[in-house]
Amino acid sequence: MTENTQQQTAATTELPTQYTPAEVEGPLYERWVERGYFEADATSDKPPYTIVIPPPNVTGALHLGHAFQVTLMDALTRRKRMQGFETLWLPGMDHAGIATQNKVEQQLAEEGKSRHDLGRDAFVERVWQWKEEYGGRILGQLRRLGAGLDWSRERFTMDEGLSKAVQKIFKDLYEDGLIYRAERIINWCPRCLTAISDIEVEYQDDAGELVSIRYGEGEDSLVVATTRAETMLGDTAVAVHPEDERYKHLVGKQIKLPLTDRTIPVVADEHVDPEFGTGAVKVTPAHDPNDFEIGRRHDLPSLTVMDEHGVITVHGPFLGLDRFEARSAIVGALKEQGRIVAEKRPYMHSVGHCSRCKTTVEPRLSMQWWVKVGPLAQAAGDAVRDGSVDIHPKELSKRYFDWVDNMHDWCISRQLWWGHRIPIWYGPEGQVVCVGPDEQPPGTEAEGWTQDPDVLDTWFSSGLWPFSTLGWPEKTPDLAKFYSTDVLLTGHDIIFFWVARMMMFGLYAMDGEVPFKTVALTGLVRDEFGKKMSKSNPNAVDPITWMDAYGSDAVRFTLANGATPGADVPIGEDWVKASRNFANKIWNATRFALMNGATIEGPLPDASEMSATDRWILSRLNETVARVDAYYDDFQFAKLSESLYHFAWDEVFAWYVELSKTTFFAGGEGAKVSGRVLGEVLDVMLRLLHPIVPFVTDTLWTTLTGGESLVVADWPKDSGFRDEAAEKEIELVQRVVTEVRRFRKEQGLQDAQKVPARLDLGGTALVAHEAAIRQILRLQPEGESFEATASLPVAGATVSLDLSGTIDVAAERKRLAKDLAAAEKEKAQAEAKLGNEAFLAKAPDNVVDKIKGRLAKADEDIARIQSQLDTLPQA
């Protein structure tokens, strides 16, 4: 046994015969963290590469959407780290105002208490306790997935530094006139008892009833239709279009509002569509955003008729009724008065629901704090238009522009206790003072000063994430080194929630410097049938369950393999199983290669010393390196994963290793050269695979090379080596092997079954590969009694087989004759239909196309079966 063989044998003994992810992944990840591989150095001379993780909610648990995006971000940062960049992938969590407060309020309810029993300060302290005890489990799950995050820089949107950043930008915006307080229509959740922004409202088609009601009397009357009859108590006008001849005589007149002692005016407003319904609409400025704008244009009063719980607060008989109870009661009262001019009819309409608790949202007039987004949104749009920020894929830029170019002022105040308290103080003489970081309040409660009770929208603080996490507003080394960030990788569904907010705040706070250079948008994870995954559906999957069963690498590879930019990602358990099989294949094939001479010792031999098979695989290797690099730069994770899978499984394991077995078995210099080539291929292949499947690759690579870790290894480069002649030569070998394999399968031969064969390779390049071809195809030497019962011409060669001792020729001919008769019958039936003019005149195009397909398939089957019959000896 040679020294090299002894070393290889020793290496393989370090590898168990089977790969068990559960025994490898946890300890290996902790080793990476302990060695500080993921920690970035702000003093380094290396070029920076920065990604901030979209901060998951402190209440959250890892779902497939998280696992999907984290896998892609991890792949990007692992590759850049290997390429020599000072890579920072910064972790953290969002305090998730409404969601977290709801969690703790539910906990209190189980104790028979409410937050009001505790008081504000004690309740907030209780939430912090909950956060420490239960929050953040998702971060542990990210470690389980293999996320290479710099845990030394972990942040929380309510930690001291980020709270300081929130106060600073609030005061800056306030003093620049970009934050103001005003009474406007907002989306109100009667369950969460807070305002919510437009993007936190989920719309769905709900079944309602459209009711037509007559307002006024006689000729001075008109009919309005509504699905929200309960709001009529707050009507202050009826609006019609200025050019609508039906109602011109009423414009400016007062008409009686049913069920009340009030009269309201008829106003002319171009917002009204005269073609919709009766062309007349009720105007309730305090309970509808469109009506609010009509009210402002016509100086109408705004009457609030519901409290924060959605309970009616006016008009005797309906006082104290829930909004939906009031709806039925009011319609009943109108019917008694003969005011219902058309029966109630079912009406499907889009209704807003709170994205947190699913309660029907109520538009409500309320005094709130707002961000004037006009100039901020303009800057955010211009940054993409002028190329400072690249949205990828580009076709999704339209969605971004549709949002930022039409953005309404942003309601940022929330009627909660958990969150960043609005830093505004009100004085006894009506003073309003904004308090910045490190500033003291202007006075005490005893002196008549009170702080605004509301907190800021969660998205306000997360909008600062790319720079607040790096130490802003202080001028920190991290901020100088790592801002602006390189890539924001996130789902296309939160362009509006998060991407636009970060763009606006980043450009404003950082003197026009963009928060990220590229926005890489992904789709959403769906089940294998393309259906949206939801906790309320049985198709929701806990990725931890799959990681337990198949390993984290298998889950990661499956997710990356489905990641086409901007497109949704279907995923099913069978695909994860296939990825597990791929990880096992990498393990087993590498272990086999190590046992058979694969090594990285010494320089790579000169091409003149290599076989065509060696030169072919190195050519394919460099082509793969170049292709993978191009796909990474274009965020084409599905294509790069597919390329790596094809190269590893098909070209390295299925072809190169198989074609090289005869060389390895023969020993000598050829085996040494091929062993060094195989070692080189495995080394580079494992490096390429590492960002997607880090655990199995690091374990194998350190065994192969003795290196420290793939996490800190160099990323491979395309050496430029290409050998077209070798590629064409091996392509001929592949054609011969593939054709003979197909024929063997058609004849019902087992893969391991040996068959006598004569190979007439002539003067082709195939001559050098005869031993390998015979080895792969289980072809024995022809022998003295050889009788060529089948001959296959392929790639300029002829492979003759003696099947006399391997198959029952008579039975095989009988089977093939039966199949041929069935194919000919199918062809005849198809031709008969296609020749029937009456049938063709009536049949839909898709039916005709289907029959044409059947005919083509029948012709193919006849040709194939006849060829098989022709190659069989006579019985």
Side-chain angles (χ1 to χ4, degrees):
M1 182 180 288
T2 66
E3 181 181 352
N4 185 57
T5 305
Q6 290 174 333
Q7 290 173 341
Q8 301 301 331
T9 303
T12 53
T13 58
E14 298 175 17
L15 295 172
T17 54
Q18 290 187 327
Y19 177 54
T20 308
E23 296 177 1
V24 171
E25 293 177 350
L28 182 54
Y29 185 85
E30 291 309 314
R31 195 178 315 141
W32 292 337
V33 173
E34 288 167 6
R35 292 177 177 178
Y37 290 157
F38 305 135
E39 293 181 15
D41 181 2
T43 66
S44 166
D45 292 332
K46 295 179 182 179
Y49 183 83
T50 315
I51 290 183
V52 290
I53 195 170
N57 286 354
V58 68
T59 61
L62 186 72
H63 58 66
L64 276 174
H66 290 131
F68 171 54
Q69 292 179 2
V70 167
T71 293
L72 304 189
M73 284 184 278
D74 194 38
L76 290 175
T77 52
R78 284 179 183 270
R79 172 176 175 255
K80 285 295 182 180
R81 189 179 293 111
M82 294 173 75
Q83 287 181 318
F85 287 78
E86 194 61 45
T87 303
L88 171 60
W89 186 21
L90 195 146
M93 292 184 298
D94 191 284
H95 65 278
I98 295 177
T100 308
Q101 179 157 320
N102 282 347
K103 286 278 188 184
V104 179
E105 288 198 80
Q106 289 168 11
Q107 197 177 61
L108 287 173
E110 292 172 2
E111 302 170 12
K113 299 176 183 176
S114 75
R115 60 178 161 133
H116 299 285
D117 294 325
L118 272 66
R120 183 170 193 141
D121 292 343
F123 176 77
V124 170
E125 178 59 31
R126 178 73 176 257
V127 181
W128 277 108
Q129 291 173 8
W130 182 93
K131 184 258 181 187
E132 294 303 317
E133 185 173 356
Y134 299 105
R137 64 175 172 147
I138 190 172
L139 297 182
Q141 293 170 332
L142 295 181
R143 298 167 81 98
R144 175 74 189 280
L145 190 64
L149 290 151
D150 184 348
W151 297 106
S152 70
R153 285 176 166 86
E154 182 184 335
R155 302 305 300 269
F156 180 53
T157 50
M158 282 185 62
D159 68 28
E160 184 178 351
L162 269 66
S163 296
K164 184 175 182 179
V166 167
Q167 281 186 286
K168 166 67 173 168
I169 200 164
F170 186 100
K171 183 164 186 176
D172 289 350
L173 290 164
Y174 179 78
E175 292 183 344
D176 285 346
L178 295 174
I179 284 183
Y180 63 94
R181 192 171 185 238
E183 192 174 44
R184 298 272 184 86
I185 290 285
I186 49 92
N187 304 297
W188 181 264
C189 177
R191 159 62 184 80
C192 297
L193 297 180
T194 182
I196 58 176
S197 65
D198 291 344
I199 51 180
E200 293 170 300
V201 178
E202 294 178 348
Y203 288 91
Q204 65 185 46
D205 286 339
D206 284 1
E209 290 180 330
L210 194 65
V211 182
S212 296
I213 309 167
R214 182 174 298 280
Y215 284 27
E217 306 293 342
E219 292 184 0
D220 291 346
S221 68
L222 38 65
V223 174
V224 301
T226 182
T227 58
R228 301 177 70 223
E230 68 278 10
T231 63
M232 70 167 292
L233 301 176
D235 287 358
T236 55
V238 173
V240 297
H241 193 274
E243 304 302 321
D244 195 331
E245 295 293 335
R246 294 171 294 178
Y247 304 119
K248 277 192 173 182
H249 68 288
L250 289 177
V251 174
K253 289 188 175 182
Q254 296 280 327
I255 61 172
K256 182 76 164 49
L257 177 65
L259 304 182
T260 72
D261 56 3
R262 293 190 291 116
T263 60
I264 57 176
V266 177
V267 299
D269 194 280
E270 291 189 351
H271 170 77
V272 179
D273 179 3
E275 302 299 322
F276 182 77
T278 64
V281 297
K282 58 191 287 299
V283 181
T284 321
H287 292 279
D288 184 275
N290 293 322
D291 293 2
F292 178 77
E293 295 301 326
I294 294 175
R296 290 215 299 182
R297 287 193 289 271
H298 298 277
D299 198 25
L300 300 173
S302 296
L303 302 180
T304 299
V305 297
M306 276 182 251
D307 67 12
E308 64 270 25
H309 297 280
V311 173
I312 301 298
T313 58
V314 299
H315 205 71
F318 312 112
L319 183 66
L321 293 180
D322 171 80
R323 52 185 168 156
F324 300 119
E325 296 172 335
R327 181 177 299 174
S328 298
I330 287 170
V331 170
L334 289 168
K335 197 165 190 178
E336 287 181 9
Q337 292 187 7
R339 292 281 176 181
I340 302 295
V341 299
E343 288 297 320
K344 293 186 294 183
R345 60 185 178 87
Y347 182 73
M348 294 297 293
H349 59 140
S350 183
V351 177
H353 297 262
C354 174
S355 61
R356 303 302 194 300
C357 68
K358 311 309 176 187
T359 300
T360 300
V361 167
E362 189 65 43
R364 186 168 187 259
L365 186 63
S366 180
M367 183 67 77
Q368 301 285 345
W369 286 94
W370 304 79
V371 172
K372 184 186 292 184
V373 299
L376 301 173
Q378 176 70 42
D382 290 345
V384 175
R385 289 188 175 92
D386 67 20
S388 300
V389 176
D390 176 41
I391 291 183
H392 191 91
K394 289 195 179 297
E395 55 266 26
L396 289 182
S397 297
K398 182 180 183 300
R399 296 183 64 179
Y400 176 78
F401 291 131
D402 285 346
W403 179 251
V404 298
D405 293 346
N406 300 285
M407 196 183 298
H408 300 297
D409 283 1
W410 172 19
C411 177
I412 56 172
S413 45
R414 299 290 181 268
Q415 289 63 57
L416 303 171
W417 288 354
W418 172 246
H420 293 282
R421 188 110 173 240
I422 289 178
I424 293 288
W425 288 75
Y426 305 106
E429 305 300 326
Q431 304 100 314
V432 178
V433 177
C434 183
V435 178
D438 304 322
E439 295 178 353
Q440 295 300 314
T444 65
E445 288 190 20
E447 296 169 331
W449 287 88
T450 59
Q451 186 177 0
D452 193 296
D454 292 349
V455 300
L456 288 162
D457 179 8
T458 296
W459 295 101
F460 190 95
S461 51
S462 61
L464 314 181
W465 192 250
F467 52 94
S468 64
T469 53
L470 298 175
W472 186 90
E474 305 299 327
K475 294 181 178 179
T476 64
D478 276 4
L479 193 64
K481 176 76 173 180
F482 296 113
Y483 189 90
S484 60
T485 69
D486 288 86
V487 176
L488 173 71
L489 189 144
T490 190
H492 62 63
D493 57 324
I494 61 170
I495 291 178
F496 322 125
F497 285 91
W498 195 43
V499 178
R501 308 270 190 251
M502 288 188 289
M503 286 284 281
M504 292 191 300
F505 283 165
L507 290 163
Y508 174 81
M510 299 300 293
D511 298 321
E513 191 175 358
V514 296
F516 25 74
K517 302 175 185 73
T518 299
V519 179
L521 295 171
T522 69
L524 307 179
V525 178
R526 297 183 178 273
D527 71 13
E528 59 194 300
F529 305 107
K531 295 181 179 178
K532 183 179 179 180
M533 286 191 178
S534 169
K535 291 180 181 177
S536 60
N537 293 335
N539 65 352
V541 173
D542 181 354
I544 298 295
T545 302
W546 280 353
M547 283 190 267
D548 287 343
Y550 309 113
S552 297
D553 282 336
V555 174
R556 290 170 61 111
F557 190 81
T558 306
L559 290 165
N561 202 32
T564 299
D568 289 348
V569 183
I571 184 171
E573 188 168 5
D574 285 345
W575 303 343
V576 183
K577 290 179 182 177
S579 296
R580 184 268 317 272
N581 294 343
F582 179 47
N584 287 342
K585 182 69 172 180
I586 297 170
W587 181 274
N588 294 332
T590 302
R591 192 173 185 278
F592 171 84
L594 287 169
M595 293 176 65
N596 287 276
T599 180
I600 62 160
E601 292 182 8
L604 198 63
D606 188 78
S608 62
E609 302 176 48
M610 299 179 190
S611 68
T613 308
D614 295 332
R615 298 194 306 276
W616 165 76
I617 196 61
L618 288 176
S619 184
R620 299 304 306 143
L621 175 68
N622 281 286
E623 173 64 29
T624 301
V625 171
R627 190 184 313 117
V628 166
D629 274 333
Y631 286 148
Y632 261 116
D633 292 341
D634 199 34
F635 304 100
Q636 296 282 357
F637 293 96
K639 290 182 178 179
L640 74 88
S641 299
E642 185 63 28
S643 293
L644 288 170
Y645 179 93
H646 171 71
F647 177 72
W649 193 300
D650 297 341
E651 296 186 320
V652 178
F653 302 142
W655 284 110
Y656 180 72
V657 170
E658 291 300 317
L659 288 170
S660 300
K661 279 182 178 178
T662 53
T663 302
F664 287 128
F665 294 161
E669 285 303 312
K672 289 182 180 179
V673 170
S674 292
R676 180 64 186 88
V677 169
L678 180 54
E680 182 77 9
V681 170
L682 291 175
D683 177 15
V684 174
M685 182 194 76
L686 291 170
R687 292 173 196 255
L688 291 173
L689 281 164
H690 176 72
I692 304 293
V693 284
F695 294 107
V696 66
T697 52
D698 196 49
T699 305
L700 292 171
W701 184 84
T702 52
T703 302
L704 169 69
T705 68
E708 182 182 349
S709 173
L710 267 177
V711 180
V712 290
D714 291 336
W715 182 253
K717 295 180 179 179
D718 175 10
S719 71
F721 178 82
R722 301 289 191 280
D723 193 324
E724 292 185 14
E727 291 203 31
K728 289 180 180 178
E729 185 172 324
I730 300 305
E731 183 181 342
L732 293 178
V733 176
Q734 290 172 328
R735 285 173 58 191
V736 170
V737 171
T738 301
E739 180 63 21
V740 175
R741 276 177 172 166
R742 182 193 63 77
F743 179 77
R744 287 177 59 114
K745 185 176 182 181
E746 289 173 348
Q747 303 305 317
L749 298 175
Q750 299 297 316
D751 290 341
Q753 192 170 353
K754 295 181 178 180
V755 179
R758 176 189 301 139
L759 273 62
D760 297 316
L761 304 178
T764 69
L766 292 168
V767 172
H769 303 281
E770 178 171 353
I773 292 171
R774 285 186 177 277
Q775 168 75 24
I776 293 171
L777 292 171
R778 306 293 191 271
L779 301 180
Q780 293 178 315
E782 50 194 277
E784 293 182 5
S785 60
F786 178 81
E787 180 182 356
T789 59
S791 295
L792 303 173
V794 56
T798 301
V799 178
S800 301
L801 304 173
D802 183 354
L803 304 178
S804 57
T806 57
I807 62 172
D808 184 336
V809 175
E812 186 63 15
R813 280 191 168 277
K814 185 175 180 181
R815 182 185 70 80
L816 290 172
K818 182 179 179 181
D819 291 345
L820 181 62
E824 289 173 337
K825 181 179 179 181
E826 174 73 6
K827 177 180 180 179
Q829 290 175 342
E831 287 178 332
K833 286 191 175 182
L834 293 173
N836 185 332
E837 295 295 336
F839 170 77
L840 293 176
K842 296 179 181 179
D845 289 345
N846 65 318
V847 173
V848 174
D849 289 342
K850 187 174 181 180
I851 295 172
K852 288 180 179 178
R854 286 170 49 194
L855 177 59
K857 176 67 165 53
D859 282 333
E860 290 177 7
D861 289 345
I862 290 169
R864 176 179 55 80
I865 297 167
Q866 190 62 59
S867 174
Q868 292 177 46
L869 282 167
D870 291 344
T871 59
L872 284 175
Q874 296 298 318

